[in-house]
């Protein structure tokens, strides 16, 4: 597609439920990133996928968070047993050599845990 | 690890006045530097980037930034701001190897008033 596409754009969930957030990167981009943006916390790196290499999971805040990238394209970020502090905007981004390694962001998925 | 400090959390300025948003970085290796802008309720958009070459980088919307290696700074400037420049501005740094994730500063909120 023309840009990074994320769904859902908004999600309200009850505390303790699991949620899945989807990211469709720009076609041909080999690198995919997940960030979290919380009020007053800025942009927090979560996880990074590059081609077929093992993902860099160093930013995941707890073992309730996981992500996968199937077929080197679409990625799903899963949050299990959601907590109120998980409320944030989850941003996906992608990049490649073709883009000069510029990272392009999606519009984000707004997650509210009630 | 690379890190970024944005020295001002909020910058109020009058329309048509000049503005400088400050960014300092810390890294033991060579870096790429970026400025992103986030308009209200929108995703992140790349303003400009420094990869190599000229230390003065020009971006979109009349913004420019200067890479100063000795001072480890990458301040963003605009000679005359518009109301429409009101947004959150993020400075970011990455290693120069391709595909490394960006580390963001906490952002500077630019508020332009008439």
């Amino acid at each position: 597609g023309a840009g990074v596409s994320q769904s859902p754009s908004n999600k309200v969930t009850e505390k303790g439920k699991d949620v899945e957030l989807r990211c469709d990167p720009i076609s041909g981009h080999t690198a995919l990133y997940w960030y979290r943006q919380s009020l007053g916390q800025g942009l927090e790196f979560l996880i990074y996928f590059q081609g077929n290499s093992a993902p860099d999971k160093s930013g995941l805040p707890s073992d309730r968070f996981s992500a996968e990238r199937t077929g080197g394209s679409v990625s799903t970020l899963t949050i299990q047993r959601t907590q109120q502090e998980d409320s944030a905007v989850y941003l996906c981004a992608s990049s490649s050599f073709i883009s000069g390694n510029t990272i392009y962001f999606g519009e984000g998925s707004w997650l509210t845990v009630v | 690890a690379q890190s970024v400090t944005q020295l001002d959390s909020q910058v109020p300025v009058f329309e048509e006045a000049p503005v400088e948003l400050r960014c300092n970085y810390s890294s033991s290796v060579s870096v790429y530097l970026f400025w992103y802008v986030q308009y209200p309720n929108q995703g992140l958009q790349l303003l400009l980037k420094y990869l190599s070459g000229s230390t003065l980088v020009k971006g979109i919307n009349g913004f420019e930034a200067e890479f100063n290696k000795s001072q480890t700074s990458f301040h963003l400037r605009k000679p005359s701001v518009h109301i429409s420049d009101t947004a959150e501005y993020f400075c970011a740094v990455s290693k120069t190897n391709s595909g490394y994730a960006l580390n963001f500063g906490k952002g500077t909120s630019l508020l332009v008033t008439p």
Side-chain angles (χ1 to χ4, degrees):
Chain A
V4 178
S5 179
Q6 293 187 243
S7 61
S9 55
N10 284 284
K11 175 73 175 179
V12 179
T13 190
E14 292 181 350
K15 179 182 173 181
K17 301 275 190 180
D18 297 353
V19 296
E20 287 188 348
L21 307 176
R22 175 189 166 103
C23 173
D24 202 342
I26 293 173
S27 178
H29 279 195
T30 56
L32 186 146
Y33 314 78
W34 284 99
Y35 286 83
R36 178 168 70 175
Q37 186 174 22
S38 308
L39 189 63
Q41 295 297 317
L43 283 148
E44 177 186 9
F45 165 71
L46 297 178
I47 188 168
Y48 156 59
F49 297 89
Q50 174 64 284
N52 295 320
S53 303
D56 176 358
K57 304 179 182 180
S58 60
L60 294 178
S62 77
D63 59 8
R64 295 186 297 104
F65 288 75
S66 63
E68 62 178 20
R69 189 179 185 192
T70 53
S73 182
V74 172
S75 176
T76 302
L77 176 69
T78 301
I79 309 173
Q80 295 178 310
R81 305 180 303 280
T82 52
Q83 303 295 313
Q84 287 185 329
E85 60 263 28
D86 299 334
S87 296
V89 180
Y90 289 84
L91 293 165
C92 179
S94 68
S95 71
S96 76
F97 290 112
I98 298 171
S99 71
N101 295 315
T102 297
I103 297 179
Y104 293 92
F105 284 81
E107 297 283 313
S109 290
W110 293 68
L111 175 65
T112 303
V113 182
V114 296
Chain B
Q2 296 68 47
S3 66
V4 166
T5 301
Q6 291 183 245
L7 298 163
D8 306 296
S9 59
Q10 292 183 341
V11 173
V13 63
F14 289 113
E15 190 176 19
E16 298 183 3
V19 71
E20 178 180 83
L21 306 184
R22 296 181 293 168
C23 171
N24 286 89
Y25 71 92
S26 174
S27 177
S28 59
V29 299
S30 295
V31 296
Y32 294 149
L33 291 156
F34 306 80
W35 276 98
Y36 281 83
V37 60
Q38 187 175 35
Y39 297 103
N41 300 316
Q42 294 187 27
L44 286 158
Q45 179 181 1
L46 180 68
L47 264 181
L48 48 79
K49 61 184 178 183
Y50 171 78
L51 303 182
S52 65
S54 173
T55 57
L56 182 63
V57 180
K58 293 188 183 297
I60 62 172
N61 301 340
F63 284 93
E64 64 180 31
E66 185 158 19
F67 171 59
N68 188 318
K69 189 174 182 179
S70 63
Q71 297 186 6
T72 61
S73 67
F74 192 56
H75 301 332
L76 181 71
R77 302 185 181 98
K78 187 171 182 178
S80 176
V81 294
H82 302 291
I83 300 287
S84 59
D85 292 323
T86 294
E88 192 81 13
Y89 292 80
F90 293 94
C91 183
V93 63
S94 76
K95 294 182 185 179
T96 55
N97 305 70
S98 64
Y100 277 90
L102 293 172
N103 289 322
F104 284 88
K106 290 191 178 296
T108 297
S109 179
L110 176 64
L111 177 61
V112 183
T113 54

